[in-house]
Amino acid sequence: MSNLPNCPTCNSPYTYEAGGLFVCPECGHEWTLESEAERNSEDNKTIKDANGNVLNDGDSVTVIKDLKVKGSSSVIKIGTKVKNIRLIDGDHDIDCKIDGFGAMQLKSEFVKKI
């Protein structure tokens, strides 16, 4: 008996191989090993600050560069501390609230972990 992976949708152990696909007879889900590897690599994405430290939800960071605020004439100054960050997907990968500015999204390359 070969070691086939469980179904990623319903976790059924009764999968079988049909051509280049794996098939689950219980839920009908079909997938390839490449798609499973891509999904696992996306789940393990890590976001790092400017110094290479891994960031997590709830961390505190410091801004390392003056940042212009779009649609406003104000600037977030270097050294501004940001508490309780949330990591999100997208170009700006940090969601936070900055005192005096409100809700904002930042790029991780412009912050360092405290």
Side-chain angles (χ1 to χ4, degrees):
M1 184 170 173
S2 63
N3 293 333
L4 295 175
N6 289 350
C7 175
T9 304
C10 68
N11 205 26
S12 171
Y14 303 113
T15 58
Y16 62 91
E17 193 170 6
L21 295 175
F22 292 107
V23 181
C24 175
E26 292 185 3
C27 70
H29 181 69
E30 297 178 350
W31 73 100
T32 62
L33 279 181
E34 291 83 23
S35 65
E36 187 172 346
E38 287 175 10
R39 192 181 72 245
N40 288 339
S41 68
E42 288 176 6
D43 293 343
N44 296 331
K45 242 183 223 181
T46 57
I47 298 176
K48 296 182 180 183
D49 69 356
N51 295 333
N53 298 320
V54 176
L55 295 173
N56 298 308
D57 285 340
D59 283 345
S60 295
V61 295
T62 303
V63 177
I64 62 167
K65 177 183 176 185
D66 286 348
L67 301 174
K68 295 180 182 177
V69 179
K70 233 181 198 181
S72 175
S73 62
S74 56
V75 175
I76 299 173
K77 295 285 187 182
I78 187 170
T80 302
K81 293 181 182 176
V82 182
K83 298 178 184 175
N84 197 18
I85 64 170
R86 289 183 307 269
L87 302 178
I88 57 173
D89 291 331
D91 186 33
H92 293 74
D93 38 27
I94 297 174
D95 192 24
C96 60
K97 287 185 182 177
I98 300 177
D99 292 339
F101 291 97
M104 188 151 305
Q105 291 182 350
L106 301 172
K107 290 185 178 183
S108 59
E109 61 197 54
F110 298 123
V111 299
K112 69 177 182 177
K113 191 173 183 177
I114 297 178

